[in-house]
Amino acid sequence: MLPQFAETELDPAQTIAATRLLLRIARVDGARTAEEIALIRQFYETGRAAHWPAFTTLLDDDSSGELSTTFTQVAQRELVIATCLMVAFADGCLIAEELAAVHAVAGEIGLPAKRVDELLALVKDYMLAQLSHLPDAGSLAVLAGELG
């Protein structure tokens, strides 16, 4: 996860709601790839307590309920949207429909569209930093162009 959200905590209800939102983004392109599911599972399982529902029960659950008051702190809303963007990128590309879905989620949870665009830039930078170990600058440049 992005380092700026390392101190941001979600309670169980928020984590479950966020997981459902992440799964919604994974469904947008119809693929729901293994990479997307693995990232979402990692997000969910990292803080999961024994009394939470099993991750598999959330996979086909479209209910997310009223979200406008679920994430009470700005950092929580930003964490959810940044993670939605990472899920959208998990299959290798962010398509227009996924970005529109992330913007829709942001609207539902009360995060301005401008902040979504700023978080998108942060996510891209983070992803490039994670890949900085590529053997040559040409590979990184190609990847940067694909993210751009």
Side-chain angles (χ1 to χ4, degrees):
M1 178 41 56
L2 295 165
Q4 50 268 61
F5 298 114
E7 301 297 318
T8 304
E9 294 184 12
L10 300 177
D11 67 29
Q14 291 170 325
T15 302
I16 293 167
T19 300
R20 287 182 171 132
L21 291 172
L22 298 173
L23 288 165
R24 184 191 307 173
I25 299 303
R27 288 186 198 102
V28 167
D29 62 5
R32 203 168 78 174
T33 66
E35 294 85 2
E36 291 168 328
I37 297 303
L39 181 62
I40 298 167
R41 181 185 297 271
Q42 178 184 7
F43 171 86
Y44 184 71
E45 297 289 345
T46 297
R48 184 174 182 265
H51 66 281
W52 292 15
F55 178 75
T56 55
T57 64
L58 301 176
L59 285 173
D60 296 314
D61 182 359
D62 288 353
S63 65
S64 50
E66 171 57 39
L67 295 169
S68 62
T69 59
T70 301
F71 305 99
T72 57
Q73 300 170 12
V74 172
Q76 292 170 333
R77 294 188 287 273
E78 291 178 347
L79 168 65
V80 170
I81 296 306
T83 308
C84 282
L85 289 165
M86 292 180 80
V87 166
F89 272 119
D91 62 358
C93 65
L94 172 70
I95 61 173
E97 293 83 0
E98 289 170 322
L99 184 56
V102 172
H103 273 280
V105 167
E108 286 181 57
I109 65 174
L111 194 68
K114 181 180 181 204
R115 187 60 182 145
V116 174
D117 296 334
E118 293 166 353
L119 290 169
L120 177 57
L122 285 173
V123 167
K124 287 179 180 180
D125 288 346
Y126 174 76
M127 292 172 64
L128 284 174
Q130 297 301 303
L131 299 172
S132 63
H133 66 280
L134 288 175
D136 62 284
S139 298
L140 190 56
V142 169
L143 187 58
E146 290 176 7
L147 290 175

Coordinates of all heavy atoms in Angstrom, one line a residue, residues 3 7 9 17 33 45 50 54 59 66 76 78 83-84 94 118-119 128 130-131 141 144:
P3 N 2.7 4.4 1.1 CA 3.3 4.7 2.4 C 2.5 5.8 3.2 O 2.4 5.8 4.4 CB 4.7 5.2 2.1 CG 5.0 4.7 0.8 CD 3.7 4.5 0.0
E7 N -0.6 4.7 8.3 CA -1.1 5.0 9.6 C -2.7 5.1 9.6 O -3.3 5.3 10.6 CB -0.6 6.3 10.2 CG 0.9 6.3 10.4 CD 1.4 5.2 11.3 OE1 0.8 5.0 12.4 OE2 2.4 4.5 11.0
E9 N -6.3 3.8 9.6 CA -7.0 2.6 10.0 C -8.4 2.6 9.6 O -9.1 3.6 9.6 CB -6.8 2.5 11.5 CG -5.4 2.3 12.0 CD -5.3 2.0 13.5 OE1 -6.3 1.8 14.1 OE2 -4.1 2.1 14.0
A17 N -16.8 -2.8 3.9 CA -17.4 -1.9 2.9 C -16.4 -1.6 1.8 O -16.7 -1.6 0.6 CB -17.9 -0.6 3.5
T33 N -9.7 -10.3 -12.6 CA -8.5 -11.2 -12.8 C -8.0 -11.7 -11.4 O -8.3 -11.1 -10.4 CB -7.4 -10.4 -13.5 OG1 -7.0 -9.3 -12.6 CG2 -7.9 -9.8 -14.8
E45 N -7.6 -9.3 4.2 CA -7.0 -10.3 5.1 C -6.0 -9.6 6.1 O -5.8 -10.1 7.2 CB -6.4 -11.5 4.4 CG -7.3 -12.3 3.6 CD -8.3 -13.1 4.5 OE1 -8.1 -13.3 5.7 OE2 -9.3 -13.6 3.9
A50 N -11.2 -12.8 13.4 CA -11.9 -14.1 13.3 C -13.4 -14.0 13.1 O -14.0 -14.8 12.4 CB -11.6 -15.0 14.5
A54 N -15.8 -14.6 5.9 CA -14.7 -15.1 5.0 C -14.7 -14.2 3.7 O -15.8 -13.8 3.2 CB -15.0 -16.5 4.7
L59 N -17.1 -12.1 -2.4 CA -16.8 -12.1 -3.9 C -18.0 -11.8 -4.8 O -17.8 -11.1 -5.7 CB -16.2 -13.4 -4.3 CG -14.7 -13.6 -3.9 CD1 -14.3 -15.0 -4.2 CD2 -13.8 -12.6 -4.5
E66 N -25.3 2.3 2.3 CA -25.1 3.7 2.3 C -23.7 4.0 2.7 O -23.2 3.6 3.7 CB -26.1 4.4 3.3 CG -25.8 5.8 3.6 CD -25.9 6.7 2.3 OE1 -26.7 6.5 1.4 OE2 -25.0 7.6 2.2
Q76 N -9.2 8.1 5.3 CA -9.9 6.8 5.0 C -10.5 6.8 3.6 O -10.3 5.8 2.9 CB -11.0 6.5 6.1 CG -10.5 6.3 7.5 CD -11.6 6.3 8.5 OE1 -12.7 6.9 8.3 NE2 -11.4 5.6 9.6
E78 N -9.5 8.6 1.1 CA -8.4 8.6 0.2 C -7.7 7.2 0.1 O -7.4 6.7 -1.0 CB -7.3 9.6 0.6 CG -7.8 11.0 0.4 CD -6.8 12.1 0.9 OE1 -5.8 11.8 1.5 OE2 -7.1 13.3 0.5
T83 N -6.7 2.6 -3.2 CA -6.7 1.1 -3.4 C -7.6 0.7 -4.6 O -7.2 -0.2 -5.3 CB -7.2 0.5 -2.1 OG1 -6.4 1.0 -1.0 CG2 -7.0 -1.0 -2.1
C84 N -8.7 1.4 -4.8 CA -9.5 1.2 -5.9 C -8.7 1.4 -7.2 O -8.8 0.6 -8.2 CB -10.7 2.1 -6.0 SG -12.1 1.7 -4.9
L94 N -5.5 0.7 -16.9 CA -6.6 1.4 -16.3 C -7.5 1.8 -17.5 O -7.0 2.7 -18.3 CB -6.2 2.6 -15.5 CG -7.3 3.5 -15.0 CD1 -8.1 2.8 -13.9 CD2 -6.7 4.8 -14.4
E118 N -5.5 13.5 -8.3 CA -4.3 13.6 -7.6 C -3.8 12.3 -7.0 O -2.6 11.9 -7.1 CB -4.4 14.6 -6.4 CG -4.7 16.0 -6.9 CD -5.1 17.0 -5.7 OE1 -5.4 16.5 -4.6 OE2 -5.2 18.2 -6.0
L119 N -4.8 11.5 -6.5 CA -4.4 10.1 -6.1 C -4.0 9.2 -7.2 O -3.1 8.4 -7.0 CB -5.6 9.5 -5.3 CG -5.9 10.2 -4.0 CD1 -7.2 9.7 -3.4 CD2 -4.8 9.9 -3.0
L128 N 5.5 3.0 -10.4 CA 6.8 3.1 -11.1 C 7.9 2.9 -10.1 O 8.9 2.3 -10.5 CB 6.9 4.5 -11.8 CG 6.1 4.6 -13.1 CD1 6.1 6.0 -13.6 CD2 6.6 3.7 -14.1
Q130 N 8.0 1.1 -7.5 CA 8.1 -0.3 -7.2 C 8.8 -1.1 -8.3 O 9.3 -2.2 -8.0 CB 6.7 -0.9 -7.0 CG 5.9 -0.3 -5.8 CD 6.7 -0.5 -4.5 OE1 7.0 -1.7 -4.1 NE2 7.0 0.5 -3.8
L131 N 8.8 -0.6 -9.5 CA 9.4 -1.3 -10.6 C 10.7 -0.7 -11.0 O 11.3 -1.0 -12.0 CB 8.4 -1.2 -11.8 CG 7.1 -1.8 -11.6 CD1 6.1 -1.6 -12.8 CD2 7.2 -3.3 -11.4
A141 N 10.8 3.2 -19.1 CA 10.2 4.3 -20.0 C 9.0 3.7 -20.7 O 8.0 4.4 -20.8 CB 11.2 4.8 -21.0
A144 N 6.3 3.4 -18.1 CA 5.8 4.7 -17.7 C 4.8 5.3 -18.8 O 3.8 5.9 -18.5 CB 7.0 5.7 -17.5

